[in-house]
Amino acid sequence: MAQKPSIPKGTRDFSPAEMVKRNYIFDTVKSVFQKYGYLPIETPAMENLSTLLGKYGEEGDKLLFKILNSGDYLKKADSALLAEKASNKVITQLSEKGLRYDLTVPFARFVVQHQNEISFPFKRYQIQPVWRADRPQKGRYREFFQCDVDVVGSNALLNEVELIQIVDDVYRLLDINVVLKLNNRKVLSGIAEIIGAADQIVDITVAIDKLDKIGLDKVNEELASKGLSQEAIDTIQPIIMLSGTNAEKIVKLKEVLSKSEIGLKGVSELESVLNYLDVLKLDLEVELDLTLARGLNYYTGAIFEVKAKDVEIGSITGGGRYDDLTGIFGLKDVSGVGISFGADRIYDVMNQLELFPKADGAKTRALFVNFGGEDELYAMKTLADVRKAGVNAELFPDAAKMKKQMTYANRKEIPFVVLTGEVERKSGNVTLKNMETGEQSQLNLDELIKVISI
RNA sequence: GUGAUUGUAGCUCAGUUGGUUAGAGCGCUGGAUUGUGGUUCCAGAGGUCGCCGGUUCGAGACCGGUCUUUCACCCCA
């Protein structure tokens, strides 16, 4: 027991059955991305630590997996820092690489590095694992896949709209009921501005974001504890408690934010996006939600988040506009907007709701029983013809007992078993057994292919 | 990072106030049935009770530590 091998906390193995389901999600997402003109890229699992550090806030830095330098890494470290065990200061001397934390920052790095080969607007998607040194819990893993779509080099709000269309398409294809929550960082900045607390925008959004969980009183308490005056708190009450249709919310926001230039800009952006969406008549429910703040520091415009309606789990998709992400890497004035589908959470949702399609082309349709010798050769030849006809089929590798071979077929849920023994070989036919009904029949090759094809 | 929680056979779990050789169901292997699975019957294999240490005549059970599981907070996909 003790010697049983294991895998690191928060990581998982995926069985063949699970991979078939996961690939269904990846294939669906990919097909939608490509339909909108996005093309794939990949970046390395590890990045230079300097690329990653400082991009996700102080919390994010702690959650980065750092990779120890090769060789005698302790020798190069400052002995004074080592002695005082100053982990934070010493780490950059011990590690210069880290596992990627998301796909957006590596993408920004990619854009800057390859700026001369890229023509803008640049639309790419990226489906790869990311790693976070979080404590695992429900719907939270240390290694998980993100499916990112981003477009950079265009300020047009049409891009925001297109991403929402993609969300609509993906979740319609996957048959998951979702609600897309929409907000705009400029609106949040405007709110901070009108109450004269522009530098506390983060505190305010974090507090407002908790409305669902802790309730209005606690939010107000938290705002007060962050140093907001009672007057300021009173001013933003109507905003925190905003209700009605999206259009009604827009009207109210315009009133409240009438003295904030940036706030009005945000409202107008939201309005434009919603107007576009009206034309498209999506299935997707889009809800203007000011409590949606998102912690990531780099969003500057639209913010999206998608939640599954029928399962209690964190957001399954999230994203937004970031005006200056590439600026950190030295390329100014390239605005981008993107979203990320959380494949693992989508998997959990679909699994719980049993939304995965049953029939599957990936499975074996027929097992050829191996009788050895001449019969084995006859089976191989027939099998090759069946495969040429496009049917997934396999031959049991050993001339094992029939019972064992039948059990194998049964366990693998293979619907047909083909018997090609001495009798069949001499007649040039095969015996086909339907594993569900138990019926058997004598068929020639063409008839066989016809019956076992999907 | 904070606070809880879990760990006994491949899997799901029993195991009394500490007491002799740690159990069940399912699964697995073999046989009944040497060219027929899924049903039935019979037999069998399989455990250093997560790990390290402590208390005790005696620990799966009690204590400490550690790892692991799950969950909440934080944050997020």
Side-chain angles (χ1 to χ4, degrees), chain A residues 123-138:
Chain A
K123 301 169 83 170
R124 74 88 235 227
Y125 74 84
Q126 192 170 351
I127 299 176
Q128 291 191 273
V130 303
W131 294 269
R132 297 184 187 177
D134 231 345
R135 280 264 196 103
Q137 54 180 275
K138 189 183 178 118

Side-chain angles (χ1 to χ4, degrees), chain A residues 386-407:
Chain A
V386 165
R387 285 178 178 152
K388 269 182 202 149
V391 178
N392 299 347
E394 55 184 302
L395 168 65
F396 201 85
D398 305 298
K401 279 184 192 168
M402 189 115 177
K403 176 174 173 142
K404 188 175 169 69
Q405 302 194 37
M406 294 297 284
T407 304

Side-chain angles (χ1 to χ4, degrees), chain A residues 300-315:
Chain A
T300 53
I303 312 170
F304 315 106
E305 186 168 292
V306 177
K307 290 206 151 195
K309 281 168 149 181
D310 305 322
V311 176
E312 195 61 42
I313 198 166
S315 66

Side-chain angles (χ1 to χ4, degrees), chain A residues 62-175:
Chain A
K62 285 186 203 156
L63 298 180
L64 283 171
F65 277 109
K66 287 117 189 152
I67 298 172
L68 227 38
N69 289 340
S70 317
D72 199 351
Y73 46 84
L74 281 181
K75 207 174 238 172
K76 294 178 194 160
D78 187 302
S79 48
L81 290 177
L82 275 179
E84 66 181 85
K85 299 187 175 172
S87 305
N88 287 334
K89 293 175 191 163
V90 143
I91 190 66
T92 51
Q93 300 179 352
L94 300 179
S95 163
E96 50 191 27
K97 295 180 290 297
L99 294 176
R100 71 166 100 79
Y101 177 90
D102 71 356
L103 299 178
T104 307
V105 167
F107 174 54
R109 189 225 84 220
F110 177 97
V111 168
V112 175
Q113 207 173 320
H114 300 273
Q115 52 186 284
N116 295 326
E117 307 147 36
I118 292 172
S119 60
F120 296 99
F122 181 50
K123 301 169 83 170
R124 74 88 235 227
Y125 74 84
Q126 192 170 351
I127 299 176
Q128 291 191 273
V130 303
W131 294 269
R132 297 184 187 177
D134 231 345
R135 280 264 196 103
Q137 54 180 275
K138 189 183 178 118
R140 173 174 306 187
Y141 308 100
R142 286 184 147 181
E143 177 185 61
F144 61 97
F145 272 75
Q146 290 192 325
C147 313
D148 262 39
V149 245
D150 291 77
V151 50
V152 296
S154 164
N155 289 306
L157 291 171
L158 209 64
N159 297 303
E160 272 85 338
V161 175
E162 192 170 272
L163 291 176
I164 295 172
Q165 282 180 272
I166 287 176
V167 168
D168 181 51
D169 274 6
V170 165
Y171 288 113
R172 191 177 49 246
L173 286 171
L174 295 178
D175 203 23

Side-chain angles (χ1 to χ4, degrees), chain A residues 104-385:
Chain A
T104 307
V105 167
F107 174 54
R109 189 225 84 220
F110 177 97
V111 168
V112 175
Q113 207 173 320
H114 300 273
Q115 52 186 284
N116 295 326
E117 307 147 36
I118 292 172
S119 60
F120 296 99
F122 181 50
K123 301 169 83 170
R124 74 88 235 227
Y125 74 84
Q126 192 170 351
I127 299 176
Q128 291 191 273
V130 303
W131 294 269
R132 297 184 187 177
D134 231 345
R135 280 264 196 103
Q137 54 180 275
K138 189 183 178 118
R140 173 174 306 187
Y141 308 100
R142 286 184 147 181
E143 177 185 61
F144 61 97
F145 272 75
Q146 290 192 325
C147 313
D148 262 39
V149 245
D150 291 77
V151 50
V152 296
S154 164
N155 289 306
L157 291 171
L158 209 64
N159 297 303
E160 272 85 338
V161 175
E162 192 170 272
L163 291 176
I164 295 172
Q165 282 180 272
I166 287 176
V167 168
D168 181 51
D169 274 6
V170 165
Y171 288 113
R172 191 177 49 246
L173 286 171
L174 295 178
D175 203 23
I176 303 176
N177 288 321
V178 297
V179 54
L180 181 137
K181 300 196 172 191
L182 181 65
N183 195 8
N184 193 297
R185 199 63 175 241
K186 293 191 181 82
V187 170
L188 296 173
S189 301
I191 293 167
E193 193 176 277
I194 58 165
I195 58 172
D199 54 334
Q200 282 181 305
I201 176 70
V202 174
D203 286 341
I204 294 171
T205 55
V206 167
I208 296 179
D209 195 30
K210 292 179 186 166
L211 182 63
D212 286 348
K213 282 180 187 167
I214 63 177
L216 183 60
D217 291 345
K218 292 273 183 182
V219 168
N220 287 338
E221 248 174 60
E222 179 160 336
L223 287 171
S225 77
K226 293 293 181 185
L228 285 197
S229 68
Q230 191 55 47
E231 188 191 352
I233 293 174
D234 289 344
T235 308
I236 62 171
Q237 286 309 295
I239 289 178
I240 300 175
M241 298 303 290
L242 201 66
S243 63
T245 65
N246 290 339
E248 287 165 2
K249 288 179 185 172
I250 293 281
V251 171
K252 280 182 204 159
L253 277 176
K254 276 184 182 165
E255 285 169 23
V256 180
L257 293 173
S258 61
K259 285 181 185 143
S260 165
E261 194 185 328
I262 188 155
L264 286 177
K265 179 85 170 40
V267 177
S268 130
E269 285 182 12
L270 281 173
E271 195 175 16
S272 301
V273 169
L274 290 170
N275 285 343
Y276 277 121
L277 292 176
D278 273 348
V279 176
L280 291 170
K281 300 206 186 326
L282 305 179
D283 295 345
L284 185 69
E285 185 181 328
V286 176
E287 184 193 332
L288 194 54
D289 184 356
L290 287 186
T291 69
L292 170 61
R294 313 212 95 235
L296 287 178
N297 321 22
Y298 48 70
Y299 292 128
T300 53
I303 312 170
F304 315 106
E305 186 168 292
V306 177
K307 290 206 151 195
K309 281 168 149 181
D310 305 322
V311 176
E312 195 61 42
I313 198 166
S315 66
I316 54 179
T317 293
R321 172 158 307 260
Y322 40 90
D323 278 337
D324 201 29
L325 190 62
T326 58
I328 305 165
F329 299 117
L331 180 62
K332 299 283 181 204
D333 299 323
V334 177
S335 179
V337 57
I339 47 170
S340 178
F341 291 80
D344 301 83
R345 285 187 179 174
I346 292 173
Y347 178 94
D348 290 345
V349 168
M350 292 184 68
N351 219 21
Q352 201 168 321
L353 298 176
E354 295 177 3
L355 293 176
F356 286 107
K358 275 179 196 153
D360 210 338
K363 283 184 181 165
T364 301
R365 291 289 295 168
L367 174 77
F368 282 63
V369 173
N370 192 332
F371 292 102
E374 286 282 311
D375 299 332
E376 185 182 72
L377 295 177
Y378 177 60
M380 282 176 70
K381 194 165 136 296
T382 313
L383 172 60
D385 288 333

